[in-house]
Amino acid sequence: MKMVKIEREEKKERKIAPPPSQILFHYPKDDIKRLIGEIYRERNLEEIGFSRNEKQFDYPFLDELNFYIKNEAFKKMVFHSYEMAKEEKEAMGFIIGDLFYWEEEYTIAFDIITAPLDSSSFNVKFKRDAFGEIFDKLDEIKGDYIIVGWYHSHPGYSSFMSGTDLDTQKNYFNKRFHASIVIDPINKEARAFRIINEECFEIPYAIFK
């Protein structure tokens, strides 16, 4: 994936607030396949049948929970991935959120944005003229925010970080708070990753009301 590099503005004051308390789902403790299935049933979506059964890569797993995703934002990612998968194409977008501190730093993702994509079943990037739309959408966001990561889908071949994904993460999303969410809407998977000291780690996440 190729994109312009969007840097975070350094903030002068640390935001102090406790993490969300109304947790609806905690990965990996809870069943992600069941959750995505419930999201499909909520919208009366039929399951998509094909699967490529590609090999899934394992990464070191970090136990500390410091990534919280608003329920509506997670549903948007799943719906976008599902709609693109019907055409056997990958989805992609930015994750919008902010940083907070309560004993330790944590990240909240409260929305997503996307724009027209140049996509296939194994590759995705924003179209050349999409960034004007992206910046317009960013300007419409009320209140403080930063881009806390990106999401994309692997329709039918599991949730993992490919070599291209790792390059994207290292080049554009290499801050300590940046996360990548990879969704497989066919196999009902959603995993989150971070790059720390040039190494990829899978991280836990919680979805809150």
Side-chain angles (χ1 to χ4, degrees):
M1 184 195 74
K2 297 179 180 179
M3 64 176 67
V4 296
K5 190 167 185 176
I6 300 178
E7 293 284 358
R8 169 183 179 256
E9 294 182 1
E10 293 298 329
K11 298 193 173 184
K12 295 181 179 179
E13 295 184 3
R14 175 181 280 174
K15 292 186 176 180
I16 308 296
S21 58
Q22 293 182 299
I23 302 300
L24 304 175
F25 178 87
H26 184 177
Y27 181 89
K29 293 181 180 179
D30 299 325
D31 186 349
I32 187 62
K33 292 183 184 294
R34 174 181 292 181
L35 175 64
I36 293 178
E38 290 173 353
I39 292 173
Y40 287 175
R41 288 190 291 274
E42 179 182 305
R43 288 285 187 96
N44 295 317
L45 301 178
E46 296 182 359
E47 294 190 14
I48 305 172
F50 72 89
S51 178
R52 299 181 178 88
N53 295 319
E54 293 283 331
K55 179 180 179 181
Q56 182 164 307
F57 297 88
D58 291 322
Y59 304 91
F61 193 90
L62 299 180
D63 293 327
E64 182 181 359
L65 174 63
N66 56 23
F67 187 37
Y68 298 84
I69 307 168
K70 192 172 180 62
N71 190 34
E72 288 305 312
F74 184 78
K75 287 182 179 181
K76 286 181 181 180
M77 286 185 268
V78 171
F79 292 146
H80 187 206
S81 299
Y82 177 91
E83 289 300 317
M84 295 296 287
K86 289 195 299 185
E87 302 177 19
E88 298 191 26
K89 293 181 178 181
E90 291 190 0
M92 184 180 69
F94 290 134
I95 304 171
I96 308 302
D98 211 343
L99 291 178
F100 295 86
Y101 187 87
W102 191 260
E103 296 182 348
E104 298 289 342
E105 186 178 76
Y106 66 92
T107 304
I108 284 186
F110 54 72
D111 206 352
I112 64 165
I113 59 170
T114 189
L117 301 170
D118 184 0
S119 180
S120 70
S121 57
F122 291 100
N123 188 38
V124 62
K125 62 182 179 180
F126 288 116
K127 289 187 175 180
R128 185 176 297 274
D129 58 353
F131 286 99
E133 181 175 333
I134 289 172
F135 292 133
D136 287 343
K137 289 180 178 179
L138 290 173
D139 287 340
E140 293 172 0
I141 298 174
K142 296 180 180 179
D144 292 336
Y145 73 88
I146 56 175
I147 294 175
V148 298
W150 65 301
Y151 73 92
H152 69 290
S153 63
H154 288 173
Y157 57 102
S158 78
S159 300
F160 66 96
M161 292 288 279
S162 69
T164 301
D165 299 337
L166 290 172
D167 288 341
T168 298
Q169 192 78 10
K170 290 176 181 179
N171 289 330
Y172 303 108
F173 300 98
N174 50 31
K175 303 293 186 182
R176 65 189 182 281
F177 56 85
H178 279 149
S180 170
I181 298 177
V182 186
I183 298 171
D184 181 347
I186 310 300
N187 294 312
K188 301 191 189 75
E189 298 174 1
R191 301 167 71 190
F193 304 90
R194 280 197 176 115
I195 296 292
I196 302 174
N197 296 326
E198 296 295 312
E199 185 176 1
C200 182
F201 292 87
E202 186 176 2
I203 61 171
Y205 61 88
I207 298 172
F208 68 96
K209 187 173 181 180

